Amino acid sequence: MNAIEIRNLTKSFRSLYAVDRLNMTVPTGAIYGFIGENGSGKSTTMKLLCGHLVADAGKIRLFDRDHTDPGVRVRVGALIENAGCFPGSSVYQNLMMQCINLGIENADEEIDRVLKIVRMEDNARLKFKKCSLGMKQRIGIAMALLGDPALLILDEPINGLDTDGMRIMREILLDITQNYGCTVLISSHILGELEKIATHYGIIRQGRMIMEISAEEMDARAQVFVSLKTKDLAGAKAVLGQTYADVRLDGEELRVYDVENTAEVVDILMQNGHVVSELKQNKIGLEEYYIELMSEKEGM
């Protein structure tokens, strides 16, 4: 059973399609990275999932039930845009108001539980307006976790955070899935961070899903390359281009793709008078994969 199944989902605004016959599958227990440029339809899709918008056509099923079913709606927590907290109220007071809205019994225990998950148990009495951006994002996640949802929907929760804030957010999201059995759907433009935690990806463009792929599949597809530095990059590129099909100049280094024998690359350069000052073997990351995929789609 999948956490989310979307089929032919469509939503338009004044004849402009924000979501256009979208298909999407999120496995239960996944951290699903939802990727796309601004205006691609990510936020609209999330709002449709949460019931904030009504689709023109298509079907949404959550845990094999219609997404409007009250029994499944209570299993969904979401942070879309911001936490919606009262600035002058404390963290605890904001969470308590949400507990009352949700009809949660044993509210004090539930607040303690979610604050521990988001590493905020020592800040319950702090006023929301005095919290940092990272703390506010974690409070929003805490509010979304009230009631112990099985699915958490997060729209850009790591954007704007500093390095430490992103690290804490990664730890929280991994904890939620591994120790609390929650499925996470998360959108972000910071693909390097998303790559560290996501188990699956969905890439959307102009309202349509252009690719769904697991992290394992993406890693298997990723091109291996050797990056190197030498004084005469243009000359080295010309030399290596005689042996290898894909040699690229990338800033202050050369990249040679699909190379199995790195020593051979060095030997070829040395035989032609080029001394290698630095050499590394790498794989293409999520961000480069995404950029190349978008370039291919634009060229079609």
Side-chain angles (χ1 to χ4, degrees):
M1 180 174 62
N2 293 311
I4 300 173
E5 289 186 5
I6 293 175
R7 297 293 176 263
N8 297 314
L9 188 66
T10 301
K11 178 63 180 178
S12 61
F13 298 96
R14 296 182 181 177
S15 74
L16 179 65
Y17 285 95
V19 176
D20 186 8
R21 291 166 288 173
L22 180 76
N23 293 304
M24 181 177 181
T25 303
V26 178
T28 300
I31 298 179
Y32 186 101
F34 199 23
I35 305 168
E37 58 198 358
N38 288 335
S40 61
K42 300 189 304 297
S43 293
T44 301
T45 302
M46 289 180 156
K47 289 175 182 177
L48 288 164
L49 281 165
C50 295
H52 298 170
L53 295 172
V54 178
D56 300 338
K59 293 183 178 181
I60 302 174
R61 296 188 68 80
L62 305 177
F63 302 104
D64 208 26
R65 295 162 71 176
D66 189 272
H67 77 298
T68 60
D69 187 319
V72 79
R73 290 246 52 87
V74 298
R75 302 182 67 191
V76 180
L79 175 60
I80 307 291
E81 295 177 354
N82 57 64
C85 291
F86 292 96
S89 298
S90 69
V91 173
Y92 172 85
Q93 289 168 334
N94 275 292
L95 289 168
M96 178 57 75
M97 284 184 275
Q98 184 68 351
C99 283
I100 294 169
N101 289 336
L102 297 172
I104 292 175
E105 298 179 0
N106 302 317
D108 282 328
E109 293 178 13
E110 181 65 359
I111 291 170
D112 287 343
R113 184 185 75 86
V114 298
L115 285 177
K116 285 178 182 177
I117 293 173
V118 301
R119 322 299 199 257
M120 291 280 292
E121 61 266 37
D122 295 329
N123 302 106
R125 304 300 168 184
L126 186 65
K127 286 189 176 181
F128 184 78
K129 64 183 178 183
K130 293 186 177 181
C131 294
S132 67
L133 175 60
M135 293 169 73
K136 288 177 179 177
Q137 289 295 78
R138 283 186 273 154
I139 293 163
I141 291 177
M143 293 187 76
L145 287 171
L146 289 170
D148 196 21
L151 172 64
L152 192 62
I153 299 173
L154 305 174
D155 191 11
E156 307 283 3
I158 60 177
N159 287 11
L161 302 186
D162 60 20
T163 303
D164 195 49
M166 287 191 283
R167 176 189 60 78
I168 293 170
M169 190 65 74
R170 287 199 309 269
E171 292 174 356
I172 290 168
L173 295 177
L174 289 170
D175 187 27
I176 288 169
T177 54
Q178 293 173 2
N179 298 319
Y180 293 89
C182 190
T183 303
V184 176
L185 169 63
I186 174 174
S187 70
S188 178
H189 288 102
I190 307 175
L191 303 188
E193 284 298 309
L194 203 56
E195 187 175 18
K196 295 174 183 177
I197 57 172
T199 61
H200 296 76
Y201 302 101
I203 302 175
I204 185 174
R205 185 168 187 263
Q206 296 178 347
R208 293 187 178 184
M209 186 68 72
I210 61 172
M211 177 178 286
E212 285 191 298
I213 189 170
S214 71
E216 289 182 356
E217 290 171 328
M218 182 171 287
D219 186 60
R221 288 189 189 186
Q223 278 186 292
V224 176
F225 66 90
V226 170
S227 61
L228 61 91
K229 291 184 179 180
T230 185
K231 285 185 178 180
D232 181 10
L233 292 174
K237 182 177 184 294
V239 168
L240 292 172
Q242 297 173 21
T243 304
Y244 302 103
D246 194 352
V247 183
R248 307 177 199 176
L249 185 59
D250 184 44
E252 296 182 355
E253 65 180 25
L254 275 181
R255 287 188 174 188
V256 188
Y257 287 83
D258 299 322
V259 175
E260 294 182 3
N261 189 345
T262 57
E264 183 182 70
V265 175
V266 176
D267 288 343
I268 291 171
L269 288 173
M270 290 188 68
Q271 289 168 15
N272 288 273
H274 297 279
V275 178
V276 176
S277 59
E278 186 177 317
L279 184 141
K280 294 181 291 185
Q281 191 166 22
N282 293 301
K283 270 190 174 183
I284 286 180
L286 174 61
E287 185 170 359
E288 288 182 87
Y289 187 91
Y290 171 75
I291 291 170
E292 289 193 4
L293 182 62
M294 291 297 102
S295 298
E296 290 173 6
K297 293 297 178 181
E298 288 173 3
M300 292 175 65

